Amino acid sequence: TTVATVTSGAGGGLSAKLPALLHNTSYRWYFAGDVGHQATTSDTGVVPVSVRVKRHVSDRTPRVGQRVVVRGRTFPTKPGNAVSLWRGTKPPQGYGPVTHHVRLVKGVVHADGSYRLVVRFASAGRVRIYVKVRGGDGNATGFSKYRWLSVH
């Protein structure tokens, strides 16, 4: 499918404004040729598109042992995909330093793309959490933004 038609700049560089991508997408440049140049096609490139993960925490200052509910949505909806709540630093995506993270609880994304996870913290302190939704069906794994909690 042709998504954009472009003209090269003075230096020969190309750029195109692409539509919003919902799934992992492969692409290639194609030149139809002209009087002085043969037609050519570039190698295929891939743009990985992660699941977008929204999250909301019921209480940012819970007491030790208090039930904390983390809920949110995924886009595109990923019904049946694994969703999990983690403490620590997100794992690198093929690069970066080694991280320290611990899975706190796991669940499944509902048919409408929503999820609900419940956790209790056993000790006091500052805790950095995030939600991870497994990729699949044309998307890479998605992560929510971090949220700091002060457990007292």
Side-chain angles (χ1 to χ4, degrees):
T1 304
T2 300
V3 295
T5 301
V6 298
T7 304
S8 65
L14 301 173
S15 66
K17 182 174 180 166
L18 297 175
L21 302 175
L22 299 177
H23 300 286
N24 296 345
T25 302
S26 56
Y27 68 92
R28 62 184 176 184
W29 292 97
Y30 171 73
F31 175 64
D34 62 17
V35 176
H37 302 89
Q38 293 183 335
T40 187
T41 302
S42 72
D43 290 337
T44 300
V46 176
V47 177
V49 178
S50 299
V51 176
R52 186 172 66 208
V53 182
K54 298 283 188 175
R55 57 101 193 95
H56 173 76
V57 179
S58 63
D59 190 348
R60 292 173 53 185
T61 59
R63 293 179 312 278
V64 170
Q66 177 183 330
R67 190 177 85 158
V68 177
V69 178
V70 179
R71 60 184 167 77
R73 292 197 168 278
T74 65
F75 183 79
T77 60
K78 292 294 176 183
N81 276 25
V83 59
S84 49
L85 179 67
W86 294 76
R87 179 186 76 218
T89 306
K90 297 174 193 175
Q93 298 294 303
Y95 58 88
V98 174
T99 62
H100 301 286
H101 50 272
V102 175
R103 186 175 65 200
L104 301 172
V105 64
K106 62 183 178 176
V108 176
V109 177
H110 302 292
D112 64 355
S114 67
Y115 64 87
R116 183 176 184 272
L117 303 167
V118 179
V119 65
R120 295 175 193 266
F121 295 97
S123 59
R126 280 181 49 87
V127 180
R128 180 167 57 180
I129 62 169
Y130 64 92
V131 175
K132 173 184 171 184
V133 175
R134 183 180 50 83
D137 298 326
N139 289 105
T141 297
F143 297 91
S144 72
K145 292 181 179 180
Y146 288 117
R147 170 59 74 198
W148 282 97
L149 305 180
S150 295
V151 181
H152 60 277

